[in-house]
Amino acid sequence: MSETASRPRGLDALMAPASIAVVGASDDATRIGGRPLRYLLDAGYAGRVYPVNPHRATVQGLPAFASLGDIGAAVDLAIVAVPAAAVVATLEECAAHAVGAAVVFSSGFAEMGGAHGGGQHAMSAIARDSGMRILGPNCLGHYNAGVGVFATFSSAIELDRPCAGPVGVVSQSGAYGGHVAFLARSRGVQVGLLITTGNECDVEAAECIEWMARREEVRVIAACAEGLRDGDALCRALHTARAHRKPVVFLKMGRSEVGARAAMSHTASLAGRDAVYDAVFREFGVHRALDTDEMIDIAYAASFGILPAEERLGLVSVSGGMGIQMADAAERNGIALLPMPEATQARLKRRLPFASPVNPVDITAQVFNDRALLDENLDAMLEEGGYTALVAFFTYVAGVAFMAAPLREAMARARARFPDRLIVLSIVAPADIVRGYEAVGCPCFEDPDRAVRAAATLSRYTRAFDAAPRTAASSDLPAPVSLRAGQMPDEQAAFAMLVEAGMPAPPLHAAADAEAAVRAARTLGFPVALKIRSAQIAHKSDVGGVRLGLDGEAAVRDAFTQMLARVRAQAPHAQLDGVLVAPMAPPGIDMILGVQRDALFGPVLMIGLGGVFVEVLEDVVLERAPLDAPLARAMLRRLKAWPLLDGARGGEPVDLDALCAAMVALSRFAAANRDRIESIDVNPLRVFARGRGAWMLDALVQPCPLPPPA
Amino acid sequence: MSETASRPRGLDALMAPASIAVVGASDDATRIGGRPLRYLLDAGYAGRVYPVNPHRATVQGLPAFASLGDIGAAVDLAIVAVPAAAVVATLEECAAHAVGAAVVFSSGFAEMGGAHGGGQHAMSAIARDSGMRILGPNCLGHYNAGVGVFATFSSAIELDRPCAGPVGVVSQSGAYGGHVAFLARSRGVQVGLLITTGNECDVEAAECIEWMARREEVRVIAACAEGLRDGDALCRALHTARAHRKPVVFLKMGRSEVGARAAMSHTASLAGRDAVYDAVFREFGVHRALDTDEMIDIAYAASFGILPAEERLGLVSVSGGMGIQMADAAERNGIALLPMPEATQARLKRRLPFASPVNPVDITAQVFNDRALLDENLDAMLEEGGYTALVAFFTYVAGVAFMAAPLREAMARARARFPDRLIVLSIVAPADIVRGYEAVGCPCFEDPDRAVRAAATLSRYTRAFDAAPRTAASSDLPAPVSLRAGQMPDEQAAFAMLVEAGMPAPPLHAAADAEAAVRAARTLGFPVALKIRSAQIAHKSDVGGVRLGLDGEAAVRDAFTQMLARVRAQAPHAQLDGVLVAPMAPPGIDMILGVQRDALFGPVLMIGLGGVFVEVLEDVVLERAPLDAPLARAMLRRLKAWPLLDGARGGEPVDLDALCAAMVALSRFAAANRDRIESIDVNPLRVFARGRGAWMLDALVQPCPLPPPA
């Protein structure tokens, strides 16, 4: 079998094959080996289909082949519907015949535990060695309705055949992917593509997201995962989606403790810390959905292809009560409600004294009698109010026969005049009437709260898409430091490397004798602290090697002599190199600044305000390293403790520039040493009043337990 | 027209009238005056119906009357469908003819602003003077489908005629009430009763809740309000509902700032502080819904009449991924997931090695092939696991023809064996198949997250219903104090009345001269504080009237002399009564304890930990006064700062008994003086280590601005 230049490769072979073999094809269209064949035939798949079944001459009316080798033509995609025990041999045969991609439904591999994942390792090796892509095992397969490819045994296909449509769904869990795609379709949301990746012996969810992001026909990607293996691949995928301005809505399971435990036991994947996912999603402008309704709602609204240019939401209601409820929903969804211009309010109020034209705009049920009112109010909101998104509540009245047509026409007029604005309706109506509103470009929700959530969420994508990628922060990283794996540097060395990296620290003067210490103290100004200097002493205070608050020359001189005597007595074998003289730190606010190497996403910077904020309230903010100063500032603003930093509560504002500079410096140091350093704790980083800088007062650098890669 | 003893009175006349007059009845069944008549006739209302219309001999086939007086028979309910200007005269005529109740649809009253509410005050007076109950104005009316009463012009009735059913809806907003009732019915939830109260010139939402709570046919009440006028009436209604073990789910609008502002401008009602509603709902076991879907979901699930005896939730899934997502949902909804017994896990694991039988129990798709598995797992969970509620996820497979019947039968068997357990399904299926699962007693949700939320919420009602009413805390309240309205007592008087009420305070010794002060200090032990004693000096430190940390006899003696001299110089006209000698307060944790008189709910106790917790995080907990010690303890546990009080974070635990005793004492004092005191601030209340008590260090008592009632 020869390859031709035009054959699809990689995920193209999986998703848009020109030929499909069904290995284990069954004549019984209700069996797992029969269903994909039937679905392909029913969908009118235009490529060639080869059933492979050594026991039959024909399968479901098609000529059958005894083996892949008997086909005698190129196979882009092999659907492998054989028992678990036969899977590896089948895949080897596929690879031998230059099949482009294979999908494996069978379960009983890595999800069962056991050595080598029950053969899954062998499957990964086949993919790696041959270049053939393998989806699964333990998955529900995939479909690409636009080209009639149905490589799935999901019986949901029989209940409601998918059509081409702008929503792509990627799910690790087969059952969940099938559920969400079916549920979405049952609500009129066109899920044109579905990929379930199951155990991910080769093809991972991240790649599928990236592949969809590049496809013209996909407008929005709904993804669901329990835990990923390759953080970089996810970041690449989300970067691609952002670059193509494709909204991604992500349901990351395992947020709760029990859920995370279940995720760990359910899959072999490394469950990265959940909060780090939040940081990554924020970085790439991904909306994290908490439940299935939310995911479907956002995907549905985004499928209309209108992303408001700004976060500027207007609410219209035929009921004052519901206006209030919608305002509550806007606040819950983090979007401000700017009022209508005063002059417009006055004009509308003259027109309809009952109404409240602020925002929410209550046009009252009068609009059903006086239909010009609706046009006037919509125009006023879109033109004068400048709202980039509207949510309009018409409840069941929008479904009443005599109102449906005029309402739909009013919406069509508004859409035509302001094609870049998002107009979301909250109505309760029969499906055919809903389809009518959708046809003029208005997403429809029964519950106004969900309409507001969708509009608020869509209003955030544009800013995320317009934000520059954070690659700039990664340029000119400092040279990596030399660290011995598994061996923690002492405080002095840790300080030295962090100061070298740009972290602020008090000036330290080495002094070999008492008079040198006094001279150093005089230079620094009193009071000062003395610390013993010795590579052999890690915990200085334990051996009397720290003295604080020395406020005169005599005190420094005495302290030096006493300290050296005491340390010599307590640590007789340590080589002493005199002392370090440091100024006493002035009062300030103590922050905790740290880096942890996340198994998936590499070094992650953490900032929080020390004391109860970190310890009791877990008030910390995370971002992937490296970061720049504006991002550092944004992190601080997300802290609950923020009012204590910016002086909003009457206190003195701290030196935010110095704090941000320290965060940036540490993040760049961590990024430069991402393979060498497991964690860094700067605790505390004391930040002084505005213009006075910051000092790290204690620092620990923990290298990776294993040698860094060569 | 004579009344008979059997005529319904009050809300009974409104909701279950034996005769109905439609004033302003129209022959045109699409008009507001025509619709109620048509709905009554279509519903086969069994009582007598009298159209009142002076211009016609018949209306919609019934003989018409020129006026109410011409009817010549008792009228229980008058539906008033006349222009706003004619409403008051019509109601006067109704009252003159001893009509039991009237419903007024017209708008253009208090919601418009203006003097006397555009006639609404007159309507209130008619109701008050005559005893006739009036619903509205500016409402959508009401219906009671079980007896065919449709006193509404809501066209939703035409789209989907309501049937008798266990869900009662009460809404202030007419449009919202109509929306939620219609939406619920469109989802198969039987809303048998709906009342919209509109402007509430007489009948208020709280009374309607209470009326429904007493009705046999009502199983669950869904209520919606923007703001109520009578907090006591709401508490009485919620008390009645709890006593009748009727779950109430309440959508209180106006939680957000914009929403609250809109609520204020939209209605004439006093918007009580939103957080106080939270406290009241918690007190009576009411579930506060945040949106319409949530309200409908809970009402729907509760309509099955099964409230789990305990909070013990089990999750069953055919998908490991969805199990994780459901576990996340359980945590979000505040319900713990207890694991299955070890032995049961081991047995189930032997039966199905693929499965994860912990909780969530993943029974895998295998259950669709091996149907006995389902019975075994359900029995194991209900019998051995002892779960009082289960949520089972079967997705669209439950709707596939060959699975629907066996699944339904398995559910019926489990329901029969464990009739007190709640079994909620997460399925996606056509309506008729869903109705089949419902018929065996299983509420069905498409989204498993919403199924979990409903099960978790229903699991909490029983504990709330079993909790004793808080009346005990109100017994033996102290006698009220005498306070001059509008005049704040000085610190000394405030301390005295609070100490009398049982609040802990440092011992204060009055001393007229220096030697008396020294003797007092000796008794108290050094160091001590001196404070000037004078009824004319409110701010003592401003005139040098406070000295702290006096640690010897000489210091006390000198301080006394200096203080008197300085105060005499600074406040020459004040009468000085010597000093107060107080011990210095030992270190402890400073709480902020206060009372505010809520416009709706009376005195409300607030507790928080001083400093950043209150000021930056707004970490305070509210409850209506008075309260008892267990409730005080529960309040503390709800504080984010709780770990700092109970020593969980390594600190020393504070004297929680003393803190709770102070909260109880202050709450009882506030309750005893509910008409006299506007607010009390004890800031700080310093709480010492366990066994060491607490002291109030500063206290302000603010009387009501107006004279207390006689």
Side-chain angles (χ1 to χ4, degrees), chain B residues 336-426:
Chain B
L337 293 181
L338 303 173
M340 291 269 271
E342 298 281 351
T344 311
Q345 289 192 36
R347 198 187 72 237
L348 294 175
K349 192 84 186 166
R350 278 194 302 275
R351 174 74 165 84
L352 184 66
F354 287 53
S356 167
V358 184
N359 184 24
V361 172
D362 175 9
I363 51 178
T364 79
Q366 185 60 19
V367 77
F368 300 127
N369 302 321
D370 176 359
R371 294 176 189 168
L373 262 180
L374 184 58
D375 283 309
E376 287 168 34
N377 274 279
L378 288 177
D379 276 3
M381 294 187 80
L382 294 168
E383 178 89 48
E384 297 160 59
Y387 299 108
T388 52
L390 292 187
V391 176
F393 172 71
F394 298 119
T395 182
Y396 54 83
V397 183
V400 175
F402 73 96
M403 278 311 301
L407 264 183
R408 191 182 60 239
E409 286 153 21
M411 292 304 146
R413 283 191 295 274
R415 290 273 306 115
R417 283 198 59 196
F418 302 92
D420 63 333
R421 312 297 176 85
L422 178 70
I423 305 180
V424 180
L425 305 182
S426 170

Side-chain angles (χ1 to χ4, degrees), chain A residues 107-108 111-112 140 154-156 159 173 175-176 178-179 182-183 186-187 226 251-260 262-263 265-266 290-293 318-322 324-325 327-328 331-332 337 353-354 356 359-360 362 393 395-396 399-400 426 428 446-450 612-613 615-618 640-641 643-644 649, chain B residues 107-108 111-112 140 154-156 159 173 175-176 178-179 182-183 186-187 226 251-260 262-263 265-266 290-293 318-322 324-325 327-328 331-332 337 353-354 356 359-360 362 393 395-396 399-400 426 428 446-450 612-613 615-618 640-641 643-644 649:
Chain A
S107 53
E111 83 278 9
M112 299 281 292
L140 206 74
S154 166
S155 53
L159 297 170
S173 161
Y176 185 76
H179 173 73
F182 180 73
L183 187 54
S186 78
R187 296 179 184 174
E226 300 153 30
L251 187 87
K252 161 68 179 64
M253 294 168 165
R255 195 185 189 96
S256 68
E257 212 183 302
V258 175
S265 73
H266 177 64
L290 288 183
D291 60 36
T292 309
D293 276 344
V318 294
S319 144
M322 193 55 100
I324 296 164
Q325 176 64 16
D328 288 354
E331 185 181 273
R332 269 205 306 285
L337 293 181
F354 287 55
S356 168
N359 185 23
D362 175 9
F393 172 70
T395 181
Y396 54 83
V400 175
S426 169
V428 190
E446 292 184 334
D447 182 354
D449 281 78
R450 284 164 69 175
V612 295
F613 279 95
E615 288 155 27
V616 179
L617 303 169
E618 295 169 18
K640 294 192 194 97
L644 297 179
R649 295 270 161 178
Chain B
S107 53
E111 82 278 10
M112 297 282 291
L140 206 75
S154 165
S155 54
L159 297 170
S173 160
Y176 186 76
H179 173 74
F182 180 73
L183 187 53
S186 79
R187 295 178 184 175
E226 298 153 32
L251 186 87
K252 161 66 179 66
M253 295 167 164
R255 195 185 189 96
S256 68
E257 211 183 304
V258 177
S265 73
H266 177 64
L290 289 185
D291 62 35
T292 309
D293 276 345
V318 294
S319 143
M322 192 55 99
I324 295 165
Q325 177 63 15
D328 289 354
E331 185 180 272
R332 268 205 307 285
L337 293 181
F354 287 53
S356 167
N359 184 24
D362 175 9
F393 172 71
T395 182
Y396 54 83
V400 175
S426 170
V428 190
E446 291 184 335
D447 182 355
D449 281 79
R450 284 165 68 175
V612 293
F613 279 95
E615 288 155 27
V616 178
L617 304 168
E618 294 170 20
K640 294 192 195 96
L644 297 179
R649 295 273 160 175

Side-chain angles (χ1 to χ4, degrees), chain A residues 82-90 106-109 118:
Chain A
V82 302
V87 165
V88 171
T90 304
S106 327
S107 53
F109 294 91

Side-chain angles (χ1 to χ4, degrees), chain A residues 177-203:
Chain A
H179 173 73
V180 72
F182 180 73
L183 187 54
R185 295 198 311 267
S186 78
R187 296 179 184 174
V189 184
Q190 294 313 328
V191 180
L193 302 96
L194 166 69
I195 315 180
T196 68
T197 56
N199 285 8
E200 302 191 341
C201 80
D202 174 36
V203 174

Side-chain angles (χ1 to χ4, degrees), chain A residues 148-169:
Chain A
V149 171
F150 286 88
T152 174
F153 64 95
S154 166
S155 53
I157 304 301
E158 300 167 42
L159 297 170
D160 176 17
R161 175 167 306 283
C163 311
V167 178
V169 171

Side-chain angles (χ1 to χ4, degrees), chain A residues 48-122:
Chain A
R48 305 179 70 173
V49 180
Y50 310 109
V52 176
N53 183 330
H55 306 299
R56 301 184 58 94
T58 64
V59 173
Q60 296 188 41
L62 292 180
F65 299 83
S67 72
L68 275 167
D70 291 332
I71 295 175
V75 172
D76 289 333
L77 172 63
I79 297 173
V80 177
V82 302
V87 165
V88 171
T90 304
L91 289 173
E92 277 165 351
E93 204 187 338
C94 289
H97 289 89
V99 166
V103 49
V104 182
F105 301 147
S106 327
S107 53
F109 294 91
E111 83 278 9
M112 299 281 292
H116 311 302
Q120 191 172 319
H121 289 197

Side-chain angles (χ1 to χ4, degrees), chain A residues 600-691:
Chain A
L600 279 186
F601 297 105
V604 173
L605 192 87
M606 182 209 85
I607 183 77
L609 198 149
V612 295
F613 279 95
V614 166
E615 288 155 27
V616 179
L617 303 169
E618 295 169 18
D619 176 31
V620 298
V621 172
L622 308 180
E623 286 287 348
R624 290 203 305 155
L627 37 96
D628 59 13
L631 179 57
R633 185 71 69 118
M635 288 177 75
L636 295 175
R637 274 200 212 94
R638 285 206 303 276
L639 287 172
K640 294 192 194 97
W642 166 246
L644 297 179
L645 300 177
D646 83 337
R649 295 270 161 178
E652 203 178 355
V654 302
D655 195 329
L656 292 171
D657 291 339
L659 175 52
C660 291
M663 292 164 68
V664 170
L666 194 70
S667 78
R668 289 169 53 79
F669 175 77
N673 295 283
R674 57 180 297 150
D675 299 322
R676 287 170 172 76
I677 293 180
E678 186 65 28
S679 69
I680 308 172
D681 286 291
V682 178
N683 182 8
L685 175 76
R686 183 166 295 176
V687 189
F688 308 117
R690 187 178 289 165

